[in-house]
Amino acid sequence: MPPVSTNALPIIDITPFLNPDPAGADADTADLRASTAAALHTACIEYGFFYLNISAYVDAAEPARLAELGRQFFRLPQAEKDILTLKDEDGARGYARLKENVTNGRADNHEGIDFYRPVEKPDRTRALWGENRWPEIEGFREAYEAWVEKMKVLGMVVMQAIFGSMAQGLGMTSEEWLELKSKVGDSFWAMRVIGYPPLPTDDEGFSCGAH
């Protein structure tokens, strides 16, 4: 494989795949879909990562609203945040204090609250099998749950686009794609809201280690 000559990850516009009815697409849209699928395939092969331009799918006000709700939570008194501690749940869902999370043997200079897909018959004694702990901030839960659903749909759109570019190489049929889609359509999602305070003056310059 030839070396990649740029330090910038590709930015790929997913707009051509947002139309749920590809059969009704015109020739120009079909060409755009093919170009987008090829760009995703190349990015996966040459970089392993890529950025998505989702401006046609997401209003910029949505992530801005989520960020503000997150800041509202982290501005709460410590005692109020501690009510949602993950230690009282399944060890994963809930709030982790500043420096409670550890990466590569070092305490992270951030705090966070974690959410996962709801499960049947929650049991906090089982890892990842408890219940989400939501802050009592007006609109917080509704906004974040709506975002999760939107990102689940986007994930399937991206999978469809990648399938379109890789199906021949993988030897997958349309029926096999539909079977795969049926198994991953309701994925076990995870979402983390993180607060990064200013680094202490004696810190080495990392809020969280490489992971």
Side-chain angles (χ1 to χ4, degrees), residues 3 82 133 176:
D82 286 342
R133 316 198 72 193
E176 288 171 330

Side-chain angles (χ1 to χ4, degrees), residues 119-198:
V119 297
E120 294 183 3
K121 299 179 181 180
D123 179 357
R124 68 181 60 181
T125 66
R126 296 174 59 189
L128 297 176
W129 217 253
E131 297 181 89
N132 289 324
R133 316 198 72 193
W134 295 97
E136 293 186 2
I137 295 174
E138 184 177 359
F140 189 105
R141 178 172 181 171
E142 294 79 4
Y144 274 93
E145 287 185 330
W147 183 258
V148 166
E149 292 305 312
K150 200 161 195 173
M151 292 301 103
K152 285 169 60 179
V153 171
L154 179 62
M156 294 306 298
V157 168
V158 174
M159 282 192 65
Q160 179 186 356
I162 292 177
F163 167 79
S165 66
M166 299 178 70
Q168 184 174 0
L170 294 173
M172 291 181 69
T173 65
S174 297
E175 290 74 20
E176 288 171 330
W177 157 243
L178 291 175
E179 181 182 1
L180 173 62
K181 183 178 179 180
S182 70
K183 293 179 179 179
V184 300
D186 190 19
S187 61
F188 193 90
W189 55 264
M191 177 174 59
R192 165 169 262 205
V193 187
I194 307 177
Y196 291 99

Side-chain angles (χ1 to χ4, degrees), residues 28-145:
D28 289 341
T29 300
D31 288 344
L32 288 171
R33 280 180 170 240
S35 176
T36 299
L40 286 166
H41 180 74
T42 299
C44 290
I45 296 297
E46 295 190 0
Y47 296 85
F49 296 91
F50 52 84
Y51 291 110
L52 281 182
N53 176 356
I54 58 174
S55 57
Y57 183 64
V58 170
D59 188 313
E62 293 178 74
R65 171 65 173 156
L66 296 175
E68 177 52 33
L69 288 168
R71 294 187 188 100
Q72 288 182 36
F73 172 72
F74 293 120
R75 286 196 295 262
L76 292 174
Q78 188 64 51
E80 290 189 40
K81 293 184 286 188
D82 286 342
I83 293 173
L84 304 179
T85 177
L86 52 78
K87 294 179 180 178
D88 291 341
E89 197 40 64
D90 58 8
R93 300 171 192 256
Y95 171 69
R97 275 185 164 217
L98 184 69
K99 294 186 179 294
E100 185 174 344
N101 196 70
V102 176
T103 304
N104 294 330
R106 292 186 56 188
D108 297 326
N109 196 68
H110 67 59
E111 55 185 335
I113 183 166
D114 293 78
F115 309 95
Y116 295 83
R117 190 188 78 176
V119 297
E120 294 183 3
K121 299 179 181 180
D123 179 357
R124 68 181 60 181
T125 66
R126 296 174 59 189
L128 297 176
W129 217 253
E131 297 181 89
N132 289 324
R133 316 198 72 193
W134 295 97
E136 293 186 2
I137 295 174
E138 184 177 359
F140 189 105
R141 178 172 181 171
E142 294 79 4
Y144 274 93
E145 287 185 330

